[in-house]
Amino acid sequence: MTPTLTFHGAAGCVTGFCARLVTEHATVLIDCGMFQGSKTLKALNYEPFPFDAGKVDAVLLTHAHIDHSGLLPKLMLAGFEGPIYATAATRDLAAVMLVDAGGIQENEVESLNRRNQRRGIPPVEPIYTAQDGKAVAAQFRKAKLGEPVQIAEGITATWWPAGHMLGSASIAVEVGSPGQTKTLLFSGDLGPGGSPFVDDPDAPAGVDHLIIESTYGDRERTGFDSASRRQQLAEEVRAAHEAGGPLLIPAFAVERSQELLVDLLELMDAGEVPKGDVFLDSPLAIEATKVFQARGWRPGVQSNPFDALRPSNHLRFLTSPGESDGLDRLSGWHIILAASGMCDAGRVRKHLKRLLWRKEATVLLCGYQATGTLGRLLAEGAPRVSIRGDEVRVRARIRQLDAYSGHADAKELVSWAKARMPVAGSVFIAHGEPDAAQGLKRRLAEAGFSEDRLVVPALDETFLLGEGAATLTDQAPPRLPPRAAGSLDWHNQRAAFQLALGEALKAAPDDADRERLLHVLSAALDAYRG
């Protein structure tokens, strides 16, 4: 049979990557990520997989971030019993991340069910528990960079450095019998290169089909060398100190938190920024830091840049909720790093709730903010936001620092793709919001790739991987309408409307005007109901 490739995630959006490769002899998943962003998109995490998990023979994991690994416990619960191949660092990071993700789901579902009980809504179950996250670790198998692994009959895979985070990899998958193989190269998430923490991206040239991420496919960035980004960070820290309040950094718990801490401590030691207490308020980031200390050795420079990340007089690790709550009583200059990086979960939300209304506080966003997330709303200048059902006015300084992004920009993506030429078949552009994916498609066409072989797949689309270009097959009904994955949904629109209504009622000159406004809205609602 002709192999097929189906995109079950990160198609039309940047999260939830999952590609299903089906051959004559086996079914293999490349990643099994959790969706993040709008509530409509995240609802897919609770739905059944659009395939039979029990028929999946193996999972090939590019890296440990939750949007690539987060549904592995759910896959196990749905009947998957096969091996999960990953680098040693990815295996160790996933072991702590999946337990943490399960615990977060348990806590959030418990809180949601209390609210649902008051509303008369039936309770819901978590996607999986912390114990499920722990159990799936037994299915991991180590893959070494550059060493081919026999995955199943007629399928061999090789992991290559992707430069995105500790343990991250691109995966070259060879399909077919000896002498008649086709090579599919999955980029995973690609780093920009030149990092003091991870090796530069690398992968083989001359593949049959290329699957490339496009997170920043429509933009170029500057100042990403280690000296430049430390200087940018120093400027932001000094400005936050000058504003007179604390600095809150919503940071991804794995990689971003560790890199920021290394640079913050070095800047303080060098006297380039004001010294102060730095609080790492993320149990996951604390556990992940132990993995970075165990796995972060760089043979090229004969050192581990993460060795300095240990509790000290200035660096505090907060593990318990009580320690985290104690930050409420602090005043004056201090720095808090808390997950999540997109402000949609974890302890950062309570810090945002108490700091956003304070004009002397600073919030520094240091990573990609997906459509529909609280971080994206803040980045786009929302004057008011809703956090856990409460309206919060945004008076704090909202700043962005893209220099710490772990993703290659458009120029670097094109350069990496050109280095993989010739590509005999198709180039699939995934893991990007619609504008980013289309932007990378235009740039690749300008760089010499055949435009009719550049494909931006939609969610759940399946392609035949025959000779030459891939071809789209007949499709099952999509789980989401076109472009819905990368767009704001009705939940976002409702929240924005409620905030706007509150503002209009406050701004009205008198109660009579407020009553007229409510009358108009009530009439519109009656007309809609018919």
Side-chain angles (χ1 to χ4, degrees):
M1 63 169 284
T2 302
T4 63
L5 182 64
T6 306
F7 292 85
H8 292 301
C13 61
V14 296
T15 64
F17 189 82
C18 179
R20 179 167 56 102
L21 175 64
V22 180
T23 72
E24 182 180 2
H25 302 291
T27 296
V28 172
L29 296 186
I30 295 82
D31 292 345
C32 190
M34 183 176 287
F35 291 100
Q36 299 166 300
S38 68
K39 289 185 178 181
T40 296
L41 188 58
K42 289 189 289 188
L44 296 180
N45 296 323
Y46 291 86
E47 295 182 6
F49 288 108
F51 52 84
D52 187 344
K55 292 183 179 179
V56 176
D57 296 285
V59 176
L60 316 181
L61 189 59
T62 62
H63 65 291
H65 277 151
I66 288 298
D67 65 320
H68 291 258
S69 70
L71 291 187
L72 287 172
K74 176 183 174 179
L75 190 72
M76 174 194 71
L77 293 173
F80 170 64
E81 298 179 345
I84 303 167
Y85 293 96
T87 64
T90 293
R91 176 199 62 193
D92 292 352
L93 287 171
V96 297
M97 293 184 74
L98 295 175
V99 170
D100 181 79
I104 288 175
Q105 290 168 54
E106 289 181 87
N107 292 336
E108 293 199 341
V109 164
E110 181 182 1
S111 176
L112 174 62
N113 283 339
R114 285 197 297 268
R115 297 196 301 271
N116 285 349
Q117 187 175 22
R118 293 193 296 269
R119 298 166 181 166
I121 301 174
V124 298
E125 295 291 330
I127 304 168
Y128 57 86
T129 66
Q131 185 58 40
D132 298 325
K134 182 178 181 180
V136 78
Q139 294 177 237
F140 275 74
R141 304 289 183 271
K142 184 171 70 173
K144 293 184 177 180
L145 292 175
E147 296 186 9
V149 178
Q150 186 71 39
I151 304 300
E153 183 179 352
I155 300 179
T156 302
T158 307
W159 278 251
W160 297 84
H164 174 64
M165 64 173 287
L166 184 68
S168 65
S170 301
I171 305 177
V173 184
E174 293 186 0
V175 178
S177 55
Q180 296 181 322
T181 61
K182 293 183 182 297
T183 300
L184 285 69
L185 178 58
F186 295 83
S187 73
D189 286 359
L190 293 170
S195 169
F197 305 109
V198 292
D199 293 334
D200 288 350
D202 190 19
V207 300
D208 291 282
H209 299 284
L210 181 64
I211 298 89
I212 185 171
E213 67 124 317
S214 59
T215 306
Y216 286 106
D218 59 344
R219 70 194 81 170
E220 294 183 16
R221 298 170 297 171
T222 59
F224 280 82
D225 61 279
S226 57
S228 295
R229 76 176 192 174
R230 271 199 304 271
Q231 183 58 39
Q232 293 176 58
L233 178 61
E235 291 172 0
E236 294 292 349
V237 173
R238 289 193 292 265
H241 180 265
E242 184 68 21
L247 170 60
L248 174 63
I249 305 178
F252 296 98
V254 178
E255 191 74 30
R256 200 68 39 77
S257 290
Q258 290 75 25
E259 293 183 2
L260 282 162
L261 284 175
V262 168
D263 285 351
L264 277 171
L265 295 179
E266 288 184 0
L267 288 169
M268 286 185 178
D269 288 343
E272 295 186 44
V273 300
K275 288 189 175 182
D277 290 332
V278 180
F279 300 93
L280 181 58
D281 190 19
S282 167
L284 172 57
I286 293 167
E287 289 301 310
T289 298
K290 298 174 184 177
V291 178
F292 278 75
Q293 290 168 340
R295 295 285 183 185
W297 180 260
R298 298 292 309 281
V301 294
Q302 289 293 294
S303 68
N304 184 339
F306 305 104
D307 272 342
L309 301 186
R310 304 179 190 278
S312 65
N313 289 336
H314 285 297
L315 178 57
R316 315 285 181 85
F317 287 1
L318 307 184
T319 55
S320 72
E323 291 176 309
S324 176
D325 291 342
L327 295 178
D328 293 0
R329 297 187 292 273
L330 289 182
S331 59
W333 173 241
H334 58 277
I335 301 174
I336 303 170
L337 278 78
S340 70
M342 296 185 193
C343 308
D344 256 16
R347 295 180 178 179
V348 73
R349 289 188 299 177
K350 69 176 180 181
H351 296 308
L352 287 167
K353 197 171 181 178
R354 70 181 179 85
L355 292 176
L356 278 177
W357 62 272
R358 295 170 52 183
K359 64 180 181 180
E360 72 274 15
T362 300
V363 177
L364 180 60
L365 303 170
C366 291
Y368 188 84
Q369 307 298 319
T371 296
T373 61
L374 176 57
R376 182 67 163 260
L377 296 175
L378 292 172
E380 292 178 346
R384 294 178 181 271
V385 293
S386 178
I387 302 177
R388 292 175 173 172
D390 291 336
E391 181 181 330
V392 181
R393 182 182 177 187
V394 181
R395 300 178 69 208
R397 301 171 65 252
I398 307 298
R399 303 289 298 167
Q400 283 188 276
L401 184 57
D402 280 344
Y404 281 86
S405 172
H407 288 273
D409 69 3
K411 184 177 179 180
E412 291 153 346
L413 289 170
V414 171
S415 177
W416 184 88
K418 288 179 66 176
R420 313 282 78 83
M421 296 178 79
V423 178
S426 296
V427 177
F428 295 96
I429 302 168
H431 201 285
E433 292 177 358
D435 289 346
Q438 291 297 332
L440 183 58
K441 181 178 180 179
R442 289 192 297 272
R443 288 171 180 265
L444 289 174
E446 293 167 358
F449 286 87
S450 178
E451 189 168 1
D452 62 354
R453 297 196 174 191
L454 297 173
V455 181
V456 179
L459 187 66
D460 298 325
E461 282 189 338
T462 298
F463 297 85
L464 287 170
L465 306 179
E467 296 299 322
T471 56
L472 183 65
T473 68
D474 292 336
Q475 297 297 299
R479 286 181 288 167
L480 291 178
R483 297 183 68 89
S487 304
L488 295 174
D489 66 3
W490 71 269
H491 297 281
N492 298 115
Q493 295 168 13
R494 179 185 63 181
F497 176 80
Q498 289 172 332
L499 292 172
L501 176 59
E503 284 290 290
L505 290 171
K506 290 175 185 175
D510 51 45
D511 286 349
D513 198 68
R514 295 182 182 96
E515 290 175 2
R516 281 193 294 273
L517 172 58
L518 293 174
H519 177 75
V520 170
L521 294 175
S522 296
L525 183 58
D526 290 340
Y528 172 77
R529 290 169 175 167

